[in-house]
Structure formats: C-alpha cells, structure tokens
Amino acid sequence: VYKRQVEEEDEETSLKDKAVSKRKGKYPALEPGIRLQLGLLAGKRDLKVTSDSGFELTHGSPFVGFGGRVDFVFMKLGADSAFGGSLLGGYAPFTTIFAENETYPSQYARLGAELRYLKAFSETFLVNVFAGGEAMSITIDQNRNYTGHRYIMARAGAGILYQVGPVLLELGGALLPVFSVNNSAGAYGEVPGLTLGFEPMAGLTFGLSDDLSVSLRYSGQIFSAQYPEPVLPIDAAKSFDVIHSGLISVGYTL
C-alpha cells in the first residue's frame, strides 16, 4: 500500500511538473512577467574640457550609491518572440575635489526607459533589440570652475542573451543620440545639432531559485561635445566624457 501511495504521489508530482513546463513554454525568458532588481551602484566619471587656446579642465570622481532596474515582458508574439520593456535608474552622492583642496557636494543621477523586442533562436540563445530615452546628470555645487553636465538622450541598440542553466549572460551596446547637453548651466555655450554618444553594456545573472536572483551589470557611457561660442572668456571648446557604472543587485521575479 505504501509503495502504491508513493508511486501515485510521484506520478502526481510528474504531472504537475509537466503542466508547469507546458505553461511556461519552451522559452521561459519570453513568458510575461516582471523582474525587480535593486542594489549597490558604484562607478567613476572622467571628463576633459579643452579649447584651442590652451584652456583645460579635468574632472574625475568615483561615486557609490544605489540603483535599480525593472525588466518586464508584457506580450508574446507566437512561440519564439515577445515584446517587453525596461526601467533603469541610479543615484549616488559624492564629493568633488578641485585644486587647492576645494571640496564640493556632488550628485550622479540616471533615469531611463526602453521598449524591447526579444527573439529566441534556441532554448539558450536570444536576441534583444531596444529603443527608448534617458536623462543623466552629474552636478556639482556652485563654484568658479565647473558645475556639471546634464544629458537628455534617446537610446537604441541590441544585445544577446545566453542562458546556461541558472546563469544568464547579457552583452550589448547602444547608440545615444543626445538632444540636449547642458554644461555648467550654459557657461560653455550651446551645443549645435545632435551629439552622438555610445554605451557598451554587459550583465551576468545567477538564478538562486525560480523567484530570486543575483545580478552583476556594467554600463559605460561615452560622450563628446563641441561648444563653438562659450559664454566664458575662452574660445571654442570641446569635451570628452566617460562614465563607468556597475550595479550589484538582488532580483525578484513576479
């Protein structure tokens, strides 16, 4: 009797597993759902502003704060593709140190959103195409040298997702058409036309259970801008700005 009861329980468990598998489909990453991620944000910013007459300003500061990301799939398109989206953000207070040990409170902030199209080519390999927008700023308290940059931009790019057991690898890149560049509240003048930035990105996610995960993500944003008519008493200037950021987060899937 006991053996028959165990066999019936095993059979019932097997049927449940098959039902769950059937409900999830062949590609779990394409199933509608939401993954919330929140954790520690750390990064470094390096800026160089120069002019033809020899003017030069550099700014480099590390920052540590918190960041998060929400990834969701809201519509399947057949068996092997889906539409989704992402929300991303981060904030970090830090201290800027200029020459002669002048220190100023500073902030890094980032907020973006994008729509995503996911296409599966196998059970382990998917392609992600995305487009959206973002605002990013590094601001420094009022001083005579430099008070920060603000960028408002679009985002458009693609990447790959490779799943091996509980480990998900993500690699990708984006073009960042920048519609607005504000350097020190306009002190360096207007940036004419459209500025193009670039962003390499990578991520590694470890699934701890069906609901919990730990992720490591990297993003690097690169901008170059021209200022033909600065308000400051310098001639035409240009800036080269690189922001590296990493996010270590815990994720929960709804």
Side-chain angles (χ1 to χ4, degrees):
V1 175
Y2 174 75
K3 181 177 181 182
R4 185 166 63 250
Q5 183 180 358
V6 171
E7 290 175 348
E8 289 175 353
E9 290 177 353
D10 289 343
E11 183 178 355
E12 183 180 353
T13 301
S14 178
L15 290 173
K16 287 181 179 178
D17 291 342
K18 289 179 180 178
V20 171
S21 177
K22 184 177 181 180
R23 186 170 67 251
K24 286 186 175 180
K26 187 177 180 181
Y27 309 107
L30 301 181
E31 295 302 312
I34 301 175
R35 185 174 65 173
L36 309 175
Q37 301 170 70
L38 184 65
L40 176 69
L41 174 73
K44 179 140 188 328
R45 188 274 184 103
D46 290 293
L47 169 75
K48 187 172 185 178
V49 182
T50 59
S51 74
D52 296 337
S53 61
F55 169 83
E56 182 174 312
L57 180 148
T58 60
H59 176 249
S61 290
F63 53 84
V64 177
F66 60 90
R69 184 181 178 96
V70 181
D71 294 315
F72 52 90
V73 174
F74 53 79
M75 181 189 301
K76 287 193 69 175
L77 302 174
D80 61 357
S81 59
F83 272 126
S86 296
L87 301 174
L88 56 95
Y91 175 79
F94 64 97
T95 299
T96 291
I97 302 176
F98 283 130
E100 300 176 0
N101 294 321
E102 297 178 359
T103 62
Y104 299 94
S106 309
Q107 299 84 33
Y108 164 89
R110 179 185 187 187
L111 181 64
E114 58 195 32
L115 293 175
R116 308 168 69 201
Y117 171 72
L118 296 163
K119 170 72 174 179
F121 289 92
S122 73
E123 294 185 20
T124 58
F125 181 75
L126 295 89
V127 169
N128 170 35
V129 180
F130 58 89
E134 179 181 343
M136 193 275 292
S137 70
I138 295 179
T139 57
I140 303 170
D141 271 14
Q142 189 64 41
N143 64 85
R144 66 178 182 274
N145 297 303
Y146 168 73
T147 59
H149 264 82
R150 293 182 177 89
Y151 300 97
I152 298 176
M153 69 200 89
R155 301 172 50 78
I160 62 171
L161 294 84
Y162 189 70
Q163 181 88 45
V164 181
V167 179
L168 175 65
L169 173 66
E170 300 178 60
L171 297 172
L175 295 178
L176 307 173
V178 183
F179 300 103
S180 174
V181 179
N182 188 326
N183 184 345
S184 299
Y188 288 82
E190 297 292 329
V191 176
L194 191 69
T195 296
L196 191 61
F198 303 92
E199 180 182 4
M201 60 190 75
L204 194 61
T205 300
F206 303 87
L208 304 179
S209 68
D210 290 341
D211 300 326
L212 291 175
S213 61
V214 174
S215 296
L216 306 173
R217 305 189 70 92
Y218 164 78
S219 170
Q221 293 180 304
I222 303 168
F223 305 100
S224 180
Q226 303 282 339
Y227 312 90
E229 298 181 2
V231 176
L232 295 173
I234 60 173
D235 56 359
K238 59 183 177 181
S239 65
F240 186 72
D241 201 356
V242 181
I243 301 103
H244 300 281
S245 63
L247 177 67
I248 304 174
S249 64
V250 175
Y252 181 76
T253 302
L254 301 176

